[in-house]
Amino acid sequence: MCVGNVIARFGCWSFLKGGFVLDCPSSYAQLYFQRSDGATLNILISSVSLQPFTYRQWRKNQQDMIDKERKCTATIHISNVQGERMPRASIIVKQVSRDFPLGSAISKAILGNPTYQKWFKERFNTAAFEDELKWYSTEPQQGKVNYTVPDQMLEFTRANQIITRGHNIFWEDPKYNPWWVRNLTGPDLKSAVNNRIKSLLNKYKNEFIHWDVSNEMLHYDFYEQRLGTNTSLEFFQTAQQLDPLAKLFMNDYNVVETCNDMTSTVDSYISKLRDLEQGGIFMDGIGLEGHFTVPNPPLIRAVLDKLATLKLPIWLTEVDISKNLDKETQARYLEMVLREGFLHPGVNGIMLWTALHPDGCYQMCLTDNNFDNLPTGDIVDNLLKEWQTRVVHGETDEHGTFSFSGFLGEYKATVKFGNRTANSIFTLYRGDETRHIYVHL
């Protein structure tokens, strides 16, 4: 079992953090260190720490972190316009929107499908287009660019006040480039990529909160092989110039899913960020795809802890569980991943890769084609309910105040005293201080 990895360099200390889950009780564990290439290893090890947790302790820690990072205490002060306190005024507080972006990919199947649209907007505040922005979708034949479908999908997200990630401008994996792009070289390829990025970002400037600029660049280098080692850097520079308000992300897989892939270790990710920084590009965010088979929660937390030291927003961008597992196991593993992502202070958003098509989903669906929940859908609905503040009823104390703790987001308070009523809209946001809201009757 791989429990962690690090790129160790000669003559300096490297920090390795990881973890594992035992399927059965044990009083003995043995850690082995090995090189990924199998060569002889000669290292010094210092400050080894192995901290055990029971399942109950881990869950309590999860809940404590959620309460600390995703909730805030508020005190509502009720008075008349002269500032005189009003004890025993009745208060109803309702959360009207969530601060934390939790969403899903959508496909063009949502267009003209009111049932799919209703199901989606009742749950999610964030979306990504699974395929419809990718180059092979918008320009399947050279020179014939068509944005009709993403335009229509944006109309849906705009109409329902759903923020949307831009996925993606380029994809470094050769097989996910248009067939005609794979046949281009030299100046012809350079011209094509310039046309692509300018067309896309001029068309959609200020529409998307993020851009995945050069997808999976830890694993593949289609463009750099053909156009030179600075090509990815030029992509980011151009994107920054054309859509300066969008946050630019690296996006890759097997960073958080496993430690067996030495191509996409945390250190490899950080090294790529540093390379871009040397070229003048300071990344706006860290994209971790999250295509899991068997999640390892302690490893997930260790990876997030290490990446969080960069002080950049982390998003889990394409979360799903392998279709090779049964649906109950998918659901159980999905809950593990979502809880670890939601509790971590460095994670600013989670996207599920669960766009529904007539023939199913990429790896994992939340519902069947009739929009009846699968076990994974039940998990998502239950967590959405758990992470939403229930309607709060109360009355002010002798000081004219009422306090409560709620999940971050926007709230509406309705206050009544005698025949007088007042409403107040306020926001609970991140921070250690109690939020104070003043309402006049």
Side-chain angles (χ1 to χ4, degrees):
M1 175 194 307
C2 178
V3 302
N5 58 36
V6 69
I7 297 178
R9 293 179 173 85
F10 180 78
C12 63
W13 291 102
S14 300
F15 178 60
L16 189 155
K17 187 173 185 179
F20 58 94
V21 177
L22 290 176
D23 295 327
C24 57
S26 175
S27 58
Y28 178 77
Q30 194 164 13
L31 292 176
Y32 292 89
F33 295 85
Q34 66 179 38
R35 283 177 52 140
S36 59
D37 60 5
T40 302
L41 184 65
N42 184 14
I43 59 172
L44 292 176
I45 300 171
S46 179
S47 304
V48 176
S49 173
L50 186 61
Q51 176 64 50
F53 290 89
T54 65
Y55 175 77
R56 181 175 295 180
Q57 289 170 333
W58 191 264
R59 284 301 297 267
K60 183 180 184 305
N61 176 262
Q62 286 180 322
Q63 191 57 53
D64 289 346
M65 292 184 70
I66 287 173
D67 290 344
K68 180 178 184 294
E69 300 298 335
R70 305 300 178 191
K71 298 180 80 173
C72 176
T73 301
T75 296
I76 303 175
H77 302 258
I78 310 300
S79 67
N80 60 23
V81 292
Q82 287 78 36
E84 297 170 334
R85 298 167 177 168
M86 303 189 72
R88 303 194 67 181
S90 69
I91 296 181
I92 299 174
V93 180
K94 181 179 181 181
Q95 186 174 4
V96 295
S97 67
R98 297 189 307 274
D99 172 75
F100 188 84
L102 179 57
S104 170
I106 55 176
S107 72
K108 62 184 178 182
I110 203 167
L111 300 175
N113 189 334
T115 306
Y116 190 177
Q117 294 177 7
K118 180 176 184 293
W119 174 87
F120 190 91
K121 68 186 182 183
E122 286 176 350
R123 288 163 175 78
F124 300 122
N125 57 13
T126 315
F129 303 163
E130 184 184 44
D131 281 320
E132 288 75 9
L133 275 180
K134 293 168 183 171
W135 199 355
Y136 58 70
S137 295
T138 62
E139 194 177 1
Q141 296 182 14
Q142 188 172 10
K144 296 183 178 180
V145 180
N146 189 335
Y147 293 122
T148 302
V149 171
D151 282 350
Q152 293 172 344
M153 295 171 75
L154 268 174
E155 288 174 3
F156 164 73
T157 57
R158 280 196 220 102
N160 293 284
Q161 300 178 319
I162 296 169
I163 59 174
T164 310
R165 300 190 74 249
H167 177 79
N168 53 49
I169 302 175
F170 296 109
W171 200 338
E172 292 289 347
D173 188 343
K175 69 181 179 182
Y176 293 117
N177 278 279
W179 64 268
W180 58 268
V181 171
R182 296 196 297 269
N183 293 328
L184 297 178
T185 58
D188 291 337
L189 179 58
K190 182 71 172 178
S191 175
V193 299
N194 286 340
N195 290 339
R196 158 67 176 174
I197 194 168
K198 290 176 181 178
S199 170
L200 186 68
L201 271 65
N202 285 330
K203 167 76 173 175
Y204 293 118
K205 181 179 180 179
N206 296 334
E207 290 284 2
F208 297 100
I209 60 169
H210 305 156
W211 282 110
D212 293 330
V213 177
S214 191
N215 205 45
E216 298 177 353
M217 56 197 297
L218 294 180
H219 287 89
Y220 306 101
D221 58 354
F222 174 81
Y223 295 101
E224 293 199 345
Q225 279 188 11
R226 290 157 178 79
L227 297 175
T229 56
N230 288 329
T231 301
S232 296
L233 176 65
E234 292 170 4
F235 290 164
F236 280 92
Q237 289 172 335
T238 304
Q240 200 168 64
Q241 293 165 5
L242 294 177
D243 198 0
L245 298 184
K247 301 300 184 183
L248 306 184
F249 274 64
M250 275 181 58
N251 189 54
D252 223 305
Y253 63 91
N254 280 354
V255 182
V256 71
E257 296 95 318
T258 179
C259 57
N260 286 312
D261 186 348
M262 294 305 294
T263 306
S264 54
T265 67
V266 176
D267 296 325
S268 301
Y269 201 110
I270 294 173
S271 178
K272 193 66 175 179
L273 289 176
R274 299 294 186 230
D275 289 344
L276 291 168
E277 285 180 6
Q278 289 179 4
I281 293 297
F282 294 86
M283 198 62 54
D284 297 315
I286 295 169
L288 308 175
E289 291 184 11
H291 296 294
F292 291 89
T293 301
V294 180
N296 179 350
L299 178 65
I300 294 172
R301 192 174 301 186
V303 169
L304 294 176
D305 284 347
K306 197 166 180 179
L307 286 171
T309 62
L310 299 175
K311 306 299 182 184
L312 293 172
I314 300 169
W315 278 61
L316 303 182
T317 57
E318 305 180 21
V319 173
D320 60 20
I321 307 296
S322 171
K323 62 184 177 183
N324 295 326
L325 303 172
D326 64 79
K327 289 179 170 51
E328 293 293 341
T329 302
Q330 278 187 322
R332 182 161 54 89
Y333 287 168
L334 179 62
E335 182 176 4
M336 291 181 185
V337 174
L338 293 180
R339 287 191 182 278
E340 284 301 316
F342 187 67
L343 68 83
H344 200 282
V347 175
N348 280 25
I350 300 175
M351 301 295 298
L352 301 167
W353 212 242
T354 48
L356 186 64
H357 302 266
D359 57 350
C361 306
Y362 172 61
Q363 291 285 335
M364 179 188 80
C365 288
L366 300 180
T367 72
D368 60 22
N369 284 344
N370 295 318
F371 295 93
D372 293 321
N373 269 4
L374 299 172
T376 48
D378 287 337
I379 288 296
V380 171
D381 283 353
N382 290 340
L383 289 178
L384 287 171
K385 183 177 180 181
E386 180 182 329
W387 296 337
Q388 176 100 4
T389 305
R390 296 180 181 179
V391 177
V392 178
H393 297 263
E395 67 176 26
T396 55
D397 59 17
E398 66 271 20
H399 303 292
T401 64
F402 175 77
S403 298
F404 75 100
S405 177
F407 285 97
L408 307 181
E410 190 173 275
Y411 287 78
K412 179 181 179 181
T414 300
V415 182
K416 293 183 179 180
F417 187 84
N419 61 356
R420 287 176 285 178
T421 302
N423 294 313
S424 178
I425 302 294
F426 60 93
T427 301
L428 298 186
Y429 45 78
R430 263 185 163 175
D432 296 330
E433 296 181 354
T434 298
R435 176 92 161 87
H436 289 266
I437 299 98
Y438 295 87
V439 182
H440 290 159
L441 276 172

